[in-house]
């Protein structure tokens, strides 16, 4: 079968299964998730064997230690996957939730209810746990999903996919609701995101190159997460101890993630008080600072920033620092260089905080809190399938609700329209 | 300036204006809408003059009477536009509505609030009132909009656009928030829907060819409305008088619109009782019936249907009629031939009604009510910018809420993440 036929048939099978899965009850879906967490625990040795083959092949190709670590499974990581499936099962079912319920003057009852989205295509890299979490989230939301993981994790993903299929079959749900697109040919991704008849939404998750590739070729809607260029603005009068704590946590608690801080902005009128302590704490934490001229004058440990440092996603212990002309200067910098991910302010002034909330255009806007909270689990959504920085369909952490759409229900007793 | 530059500059200007408009208050936006309805009333003669030029040009090109009627303005239609702007001003502002508000164990407050979507591109045909209604809806939602109307209505649309710009300027809102893309070159549409940096959502509204063209070329998200192939299923035991009333209203009250009935399905076990009266009433109303063999046996006035009649959007006094094997037969027919727009049932059985609601996959599912109710005004949304049959971002009548997105707001007192 040609690659084009394989992709098209895979997506058609997902569409058929999605129709069977959509009307299933919460109990039936949760039973499949319980079966999956059980299977993960009892199949650890088979999973580790498949994963070992992936690791050997990756090492042979000279893959670096960071990627090898992301790829590797062990008993602890398998147990974590099993637990995350149980947590997803414990979440409330979004399907059937009534968003709106009103009665019209004619007596017609009008409801808007959440229903499964249909078929989701998920394109991702390395980490095998995404295979399990994306499957569990889509099953719970009543969606079918087509998974296209990274070639490095090919064998691990297939082994995990077989467990998902077994769990669906054992629970009386359509096994076709989770499809693994097995081809390692990159052209499969292009074809996958062009299946307008059968795929409702594509979610690319990985490096910027992958997301640009998907966006360029997609004919189906794409929920995007390009980059996390997060800022923290220290406003005049900011509590010094809080400013230090927020900057250090946002930058250094996990520098390689998308909600980590990449640029610190400081009010010019208060930089003399704020910057020395904040810069000192960051440097003590092993962070390199790249500052504007004023920053470098106040904190001589900073090296001069170049134009390319503004808006840069370092994903490392590097931070751009700029002294700005108050709130308006900070807003202008964020509008120009931000990526619409997470923008934080540290301020004692409620009026300034309110302008920040209103005027910053980003998926998540934080006042006196670390940028690191922008995460499905931290915000109380449970597991997330990604964070959307695009504006349409969904924005921010993508939990179960982001995998649903809606349907209007009209109930009458014979009403006709004049 | 090249066409590509014109389109790109127009969209950039809209983006700039959208940032200025987004934080404006409800009062400021409603003031601009009040100014617009006033200007429409005081500028009637200039509008009629521009419209007359469009009509003359259209007649010279041999445009048919139906299109000429859609294009024509008169005092009554101008007053209707002014009133629709007033009605939009009276709608509640979706911006700032808190969708979710919870406090996390750390004390962090997490809110999800509605914010303007940004920049909408609207591509439509003929009717000049769409220019006014789309402008008013986007202003109220805090969005900028780029309007690309049909070439027939070019002069009318420009005259209306000038009024919108004046109303914005007179009210202290950014006049660039409503942009008219003046080129009549169709390539402008292709370029418009590829402005990924500046356009957040494209809404094509018109014939299927226009929507296919936009979908094919778009690189920005598109909310689609392909076709309305609406069904009514008469279930066993259906109230005969109600069945007649629903079928006649759905088919004949306005046959040329998307929520009009295109196919009647009748339960085989009750067709002998139901079909003669229903068919008779439809024929008495001037409707041509195209029936399956069983239909033709019961209602000899029906001519035999061909395969292409199932799933056809007649938009005329023509109806396909098929006798099906109960609820399952009706569900299978709708799944195969429906367009996901509106699917209605007439049944006395609550269990059958509930299966219909759950198992039919459409934007709107009606029980014992006419398909014609699927309309923003009828469902209580006020004016609509279209009806979406696509599943992502929005589904069903697109009122103000469909022109917004969301933003997560975090409020803390110094929380950091472990």
């Amino acid at each position: 079968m040609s690659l084009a036929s394989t992709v098209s048939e895979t997506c058609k099978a997902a569409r058929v299964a999605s129709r069977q899965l959509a009307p299933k009850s919460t109990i039936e879906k949760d039973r499949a998730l319980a079966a999956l967490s059980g299977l993960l625990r009892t199949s650890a040795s088979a999973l580790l064997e498949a994963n070992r083959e992936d690791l050997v092949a990756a090492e042979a190709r000279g893959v670096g230690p960071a990627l090898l670590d992301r790829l590797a499974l062990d008993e602890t990581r398998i147990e974590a996957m099993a637990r995350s499936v149980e947590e997803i099962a414990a979440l409330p079912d979004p399907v059937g939730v009534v968003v709106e319920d009103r009665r019209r003057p004619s007596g017609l009852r009008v409801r808007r209810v959440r229903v499964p989205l249909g078929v989701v295509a998920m394109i991702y890299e390395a980490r095998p746990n995404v295979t399990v979490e994306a499957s569990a989230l889509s099953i719970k939301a009543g969606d079918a999903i087509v998974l296209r993981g990274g070639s490095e994790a090919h064998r691990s993903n297939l082994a995990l996919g077989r467990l998902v299929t077994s769990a669906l079959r054992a629970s009386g749900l359509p096994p076709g609701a989770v499809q693994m697109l097995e081809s390692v040919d990159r052209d499969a991704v292009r074809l996958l995101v062009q299946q307008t008849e059968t795929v409702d939404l594509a979610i690319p998750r990985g490096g910027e190159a992958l997301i640009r590739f998907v966006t360029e070729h997609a004919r189906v809607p794409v929920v995007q997460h390009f980059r996390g260029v997060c800022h923290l603005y220290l406003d005049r009068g900011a509590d010094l101890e809080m400013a230090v704590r927020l900057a250090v946590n946002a930058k250094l608690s996990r520098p390689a993630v998308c909600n980590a801080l990449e640029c610190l902005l400081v009010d010019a009128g208060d930089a003399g008080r704020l910057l020395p302590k904040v810069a000192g704490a960051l440097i003590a934490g092993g962070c390199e600072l790249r500052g504007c001229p004023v920053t470098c004058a106040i904190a001589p440990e900073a090296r001069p920033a170049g134009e390319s440092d503004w808006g840069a996603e370092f994903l490392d212990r590097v931070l751009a620092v700029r002294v700005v002309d108050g709130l308006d200067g900070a807003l202008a910098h964020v509008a120009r260089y931000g990526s619409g991910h997470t923008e934080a302010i540290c301020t004692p002034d409620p009026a300034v905080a309110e302008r920040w909330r209103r005027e910053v255009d980003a998926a998540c806007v934080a006042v006196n809190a670390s940028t690191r909270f922008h995460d499905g689990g931290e915000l109380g959504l449970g597991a997330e399938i990604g964070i959307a920085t695009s504006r349409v369909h969904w924005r921010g952490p993508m939990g179960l609700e982001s995998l649903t759409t809606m349907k209007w229900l009209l109930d009458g007793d014979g009403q006709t329209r004049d």
Side-chain angles (χ1 to χ4, degrees), chain A:
Chain A
M1 194 153 53
S2 73
L3 184 59
S5 310
T6 303
V7 173
S8 147
E9 292 304 316
T10 301
C11 295
K12 274 185 200 154
R15 170 63 80 201
V16 169
S18 85
R19 294 225 171 91
Q20 296 161 344
L21 182 61
K24 296 293 181 187
S25 69
T26 307
I27 292 172
E28 291 170 289
K29 295 184 287 187
D30 288 349
R31 200 181 291 146
L33 296 182
L36 175 57
S37 59
L39 281 172
L40 284 163
R41 291 191 175 105
T42 55
S43 313
S45 64
L47 291 174
L48 292 174
E49 178 54 33
N51 186 244
R52 202 165 301 124
E53 290 175 32
D54 279 337
L55 287 168
V56 168
E59 271 187 285
R61 273 183 296 134
V63 158
L67 185 55
L68 285 178
D69 177 61
R70 291 172 69 208
L71 177 55
L73 290 179
D74 58 22
E75 298 275 354
T76 313
R77 286 183 175 182
I78 291 172
E79 173 59 24
M81 285 195 270
R83 263 208 305 272
S84 83
V85 173
E86 287 167 342
E87 282 161 17
I88 290 165
L91 291 173
D93 190 341
V95 174
V97 168
V98 178
V99 180
E100 227 176 305
D101 187 349
R102 49 175 128 184
R103 206 171 277 276
R104 301 291 300 154
S106 64
L108 193 68
R109 185 181 183 190
V110 177
R111 282 178 291 176
R112 186 148 62 96
V113 300
R114 296 223 153 267
V115 296
L117 190 58
V119 177
V120 173
M122 174 100 187
I123 303 106
Y124 55 105
E125 291 169 341
R127 280 182 209 278
N129 65 311
V130 175
T131 304
V132 170
E133 281 169 25
S135 299
L137 281 166
S138 66
I139 291 168
K140 180 84 184 206
D143 293 324
I145 192 165
V146 181
L147 294 166
R148 176 43 159 76
S151 53
E152 300 84 9
H154 186 57
R155 296 168 192 85
S156 312
N157 286 338
L158 280 182
L160 290 164
R162 276 192 293 270
L163 298 187
V164 176
T165 306
S166 301
L168 287 165
R169 191 175 283 118
S171 317
L173 297 189
V178 175
Q179 300 280 339
M180 311 289 294
L181 193 55
E182 299 190 19
S183 164
V184 292
D185 187 341
R186 200 178 202 181
D187 217 32
V189 173
R190 183 182 62 75
L191 290 162
L192 175 59
V193 298
Q194 297 183 341
Q195 304 295 314
T196 50
E197 298 301 314
T198 46
V199 172
D200 297 301
L201 183 68
I203 306 176
R205 193 170 152 180
E208 198 168 345
L210 172 72
I211 295 166
R212 296 237 173 254
F213 179 85
V214 167
T215 305
E216 176 59 33
H217 292 97
R219 296 294 170 272
V220 305
V222 181
V223 171
Q224 289 153 335
H225 172 176
F226 279 115
R227 299 182 308 149
V229 181
C230 307
H231 295 79
L232 169 64
Y233 167 57
L234 305 179
D235 188 37
R236 188 170 312 208
D239 181 283
L240 182 55
E241 192 272 324
M242 191 195 290
V244 169
R245 197 166 67 226
L246 293 181
V248 169
N249 183 261
K251 179 70 254 185
L252 296 176
S253 58
R254 213 169 153 201
V257 294
C258 62
N259 58 20
L261 188 65
E262 300 293 11
C263 180
L264 184 73
L265 303 171
V266 188
D267 174 50
D270 212 3
R273 179 180 68 94
L274 291 164
L275 248 185
K277 281 238 168 160
V278 174
L282 287 163
I283 287 164
C287 185
E288 175 190 328
L289 302 185
R290 300 190 188 167
C292 68
V294 182
T295 298
C296 294
I298 299 173
E301 314 88 331
R303 46 167 279 202
E307 175 59 28
S308 66
D309 289 319
W310 314 122
E313 189 183 29
F314 300 112
L315 296 173
D316 202 351
R317 292 173 179 273
V318 177
L319 183 68
V321 185
R322 187 175 215 176
V323 171
V324 294
D325 195 7
L327 176 63
D328 287 316
L331 288 168
H333 181 98
V334 164
R336 174 152 180 207
Y337 296 106
S339 64
H341 195 290
T342 312
E343 305 296 0
I345 189 173
C346 179
T347 180
D349 185 337
V352 169
E354 190 51 28
R355 276 196 62 200
W356 189 258
R357 289 187 202 100
R358 264 185 98 88
E359 295 183 33
V360 170
D361 180 21
C364 183
V365 178
V367 173
N368 295 331
S370 170
T371 57
R372 296 287 331 286
F373 283 108
H374 187 186
D375 168 278
E378 292 294 327
L379 300 188
L381 297 188
E384 65 179 31
I385 207 164
I387 288 181
T389 60
S390 46
R391 308 165 74 89
V392 160
H393 182 65
W394 200 261
R395 201 179 195 198
M398 297 185 67
L400 283 172
E401 196 181 317
S402 74
L403 298 175
T404 64
T405 181
M406 56 184 142
K407 175 151 109 177
W408 296 77
L409 298 180
L410 311 186
D411 282 288
D413 47 15
Q415 279 85 350
T416 53
R417 185 169 166 188
D418 294 333

